[in-house]
């Protein structure tokens, strides 16, 4: 990092929401441009910027700032420019001249300590004096808050967010209890608050520090591992390890949190450790179990008469014959308030949905939905009926968990069919159930052997494990799917058997490469040359078609065959840097027009527009796992435009880019709910926790037409034999099968 000491000349651009600024400065005799997330700066002020020099392809040499230290203007000209810059209400350039001429070098002291003296200036009465004083103090306090936060290593964008939330009280509040940040502001973790706390001299065994760490461990367990709760002993042990303090101090703080109901404890008695929840998760799990039971009890078995005859009529009209398990699935779906259909690829889940749709649609309103845009689109294509994302169906309102459709304004439907149910996490399931009235059927369709949802919970698996909800597991492969080695191999893997790797003329290929570098080179060669040629892509469109139709999925993020390295290599191969292709550097990531990108977390505030055919439609919300393509890059204003689902346009400003990543290579977890014509996957080794059977199975079932594995048979064998499924701490299955309660 370098430092640049300069005087502020003016602001070219500033985004008030996130503080991203483009300013001109004078360093010595030279004028230059500084870009970055900055506090408001006025002409005449001096600042020391820390960052690095970059070369912008359009605007030339610039200084990208990561932090700045502001120095009060000391010269009369500097003070005059600062006051006359327009930042202080009631002071323009001419008034600034009068104030500085009257008070001289004491001007800023007068404004800070004796603002009533401004009435000594002709034309400034008491009312205007109060306005100037208030504006000056607001500006100074916001400035102090930003400088205070950045002095503790808080990134500028987060510093803007914190100072906006606490206002002029920011330094006082944080000095009093820096750990409040974790509870008050999303995106502030324990480690950030603790860095400030340690610098401020907070004792290692401080109650506020320990309580914050315990809640942080629960939030982190939900975000990184999908846990709804943690056992008491595990929570205390992990918190003590994080804090490097005795475990009994954590146990004492936990007791205090449970007594105050800041956390909720639950126990079944006996030797089992107490389950400790964040209140939101405990209430959600209780509510999901309650609402499922209500839906189950609201449909009578005779609600749909003549099911057997109707199913036979569907078979005859469509020239198919259902197996006994498929007929059972259709009949029970028609007769029950809640029903689950689970099975692997090629077992006829889509055909069953189509039969249920045809039988119910004559006299019932049926709604189709799925957790992601891609899954909803696939459902629409497979059924010929519109399917919506669950968020769109529930008419989310721009804030997390806020949906227009709920128990007070339920869906107008007699049946709701939700596909890819393994992806539905606990909080989204609660929102869906709130909008489904008793008397409406809920049919969940999904593959329980895939990886669980990215969000916390294991809803589909818990419902199946409870034994309380009627369900059918489909195992027979349809005749037309038997020819697909993707389907056959997926089932072999699921049964703990090695896939058939070396058969010719199939849709399943294996490239033997033992060295990591060779495997990475092979993957790049496959997607850029060999597969486009094999699939007959026109040469001029090969790169674009490869990006849309061929997806690389990797088990891990790190390493030569991990998501990060492969993304960089594939971007440079498929969408290389060019004077004709505008690009934007954000941190260490380069975004180019034409890049394939993925949203990595839910953002309920991001605005989008969609051409619905009858006009432009507006909305908010882009969600974890949404994949799109960059259509525009505005390097001057640091914005990108991304097209999702081929119809939703979203403009990303500088502060939003932290949740956007390249998507040439995705982790298998991020691919859930998606389907791609061709999947390439490295099988080159890694941690046992990642190289599991259900991860390999999930990757294979994302492919529609072709799979290519690159690596070694031994790694495939280890994955097939590793049937370890990382346990998620959830109690939904218990709640569905028996009543539970809190202490």
């Amino acid at each position: 990092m370098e430092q640049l000491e300069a005087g502020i000349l003016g602001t070219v651009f500033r985004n008030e929401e996130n503080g991203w600024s483009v300013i001109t400065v004078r360093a010595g005799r030279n004028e230059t441009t500084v870009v970055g997330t900055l506090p408001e700066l006025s002409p005449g002020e001096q600042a020391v910027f820390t960052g690095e020099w970059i070369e912008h392809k359009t605007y030339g040499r610039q200084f990208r700032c990561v932090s700045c230290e502001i120095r009060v203007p000391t010269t009369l000209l500097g003070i005059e420019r600062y006051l006359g810059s327009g930042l202080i209400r009631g002071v323009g350039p001419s008034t600034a001249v009068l104030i500085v001429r009257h008070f001289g070098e004491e001007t800023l002291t007068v404004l800070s300590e004796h603002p009533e003296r401004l009435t000594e200036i002709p034309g400034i009465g008491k009312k205007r004096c109060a306005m100037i004083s208030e504006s000056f103090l607001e500006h100074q306090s916001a400035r102090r808050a930003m400088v205070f936060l950045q002095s503790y290593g808080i990134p500028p964008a987060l510093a803007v967010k914190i100072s906006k939330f606490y206002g002029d009280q920011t330094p006082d509040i944080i000095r009093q209890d820096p750990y409040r940040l974790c509870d008050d502001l999303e995106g502030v973790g324990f480690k950030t608050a603790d860095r400030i706390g340690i610098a401020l001299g907070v004792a290692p065994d401080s109650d506020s520090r320990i309580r914050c760490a315990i809640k942080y461990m629960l939030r982190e367990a939900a975000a990184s591992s999908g846990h709804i709760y943690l056992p008491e002993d595990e929570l205390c042990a992990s918190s003590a390890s994080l804090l490097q303090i005795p475990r009994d101090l954590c146990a004492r703080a936990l007791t205090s949190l449970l007594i105050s109901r800041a956390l909720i404890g639950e126990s079944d008695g006996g030797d089992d450790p107490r389950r400790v929840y964040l209140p939101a998760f405990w209430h959600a799990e209780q509510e999901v179990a309650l609402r499922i039971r209500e839906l189950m009890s609201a449909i009578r078995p005779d609600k749909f008469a003549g099911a057997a005859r109707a199913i036979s009529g569907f078979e005859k009209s469509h020239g198919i014959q259902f197996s006994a398990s498929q007929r059972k699935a259709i009949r029970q779906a028609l007769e029950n308030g809640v029903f689950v259909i689970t099975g692997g690829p090629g077992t006829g889940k889509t055909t069953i949905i189509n039969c249920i749709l045809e039988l119910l649609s004559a006299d019932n309103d049926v709604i189709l939905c799925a957790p992601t845009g891609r899954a909803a689109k696939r459902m629409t294509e497979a059924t010929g009926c519109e399917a919506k994302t669950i968020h769109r169906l529930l008419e989310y309102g721009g804030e997390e968990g806020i949906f227009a459709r709920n128990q007070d304004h339920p869906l107008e439907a007699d049946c709701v069919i939700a596909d890819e149910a393994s992806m539905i996490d606990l909080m989204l399931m609660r929102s869906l159930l709130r909008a489904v009235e008793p008397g409406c059927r809920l049919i969940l369709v999904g593959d329980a052997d895939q990886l669980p949802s990215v969000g916390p919970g294991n809803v589909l698996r818990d419902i199946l494990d409870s034994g309380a909800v009627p369900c059918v597991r489909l195992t027979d492969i349809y005749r037309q799917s038997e020819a697909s080695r993707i389907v056959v191999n997926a089932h072999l893997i699921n049964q703990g058997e090695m896939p058939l790797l070396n058969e010719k003329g199939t849709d399943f290929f294996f490239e033997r490469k033992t060295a990591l570098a060779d495997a990475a080179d092979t993957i790049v060669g496959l997607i850029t040359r060999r597969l486009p040629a094999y699939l007959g892509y026109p040469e001029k469109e090969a790169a674009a078609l490869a990006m849309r139709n061929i997806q690389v999925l990797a088990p891990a993020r790190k390493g030569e065959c991990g998501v990060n390295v492969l993304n960089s290599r594939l971007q440079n191969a498929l969408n290389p840097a060019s004077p004709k292709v505008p690009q934007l550097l954000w941190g260490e990531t380069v975004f180019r027009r034409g890049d394939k990108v993925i949203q990595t977390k839910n953002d309920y505030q991001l605005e989008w527009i969609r051409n619905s055919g009858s006009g432009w439609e507006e909305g908010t919300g882009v969600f974890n796992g949404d994949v799109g393509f960059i259509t525009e890059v505005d390097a001057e204003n640091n914005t990108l435009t991304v097209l999702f689902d081929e119809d939703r346009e979203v403009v990303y400003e500088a502060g939003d880019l932290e949740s956007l990543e390249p998507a040439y290579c995705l982790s298998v977890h991020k691919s859930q709910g998606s389907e791609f014509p061709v999947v390439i996957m490295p099988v080159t080794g890694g941690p046992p926790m990642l190289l599991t059977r259900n991860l390999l199975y999930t990757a294979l079932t994302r492919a529609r037409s072709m799979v290519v594995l690159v690596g070694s048979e031994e790694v495939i064998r280890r994955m097939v034999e590793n049937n370890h499924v990382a346990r998620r701490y959830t109690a939904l299955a218990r709640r569905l099968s028996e009543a539970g309660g809190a202490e």
Side-chain angles (χ1 to χ4, degrees), residues 206-226:
S206 159
D207 283 345
S208 62
R209 181 173 186 253
I210 300 172
R211 288 196 298 268
C212 180
I214 290 171
K215 288 185 282 186
Y216 164 77
M217 294 307 298
L218 286 169
R219 293 189 188 105
E220 182 64 16
S224 63
S225 301

Side-chain angles (χ1 to χ4, degrees), residues 31-63:
E31 286 189 19
T32 191
T33 301
V34 175
V35 299
T37 302
L38 302 166
E40 282 190 282
L41 297 168
S42 303
E45 290 186 296
Q46 290 286 126
V48 178
F49 302 98
T50 301
E52 60 182 346
W53 289 100
I54 60 172
E55 192 69 31
H56 192 284
K57 67 171 190 171
T58 303
Y59 301 102
R61 186 170 163 83
Q62 297 180 336
F63 192 82

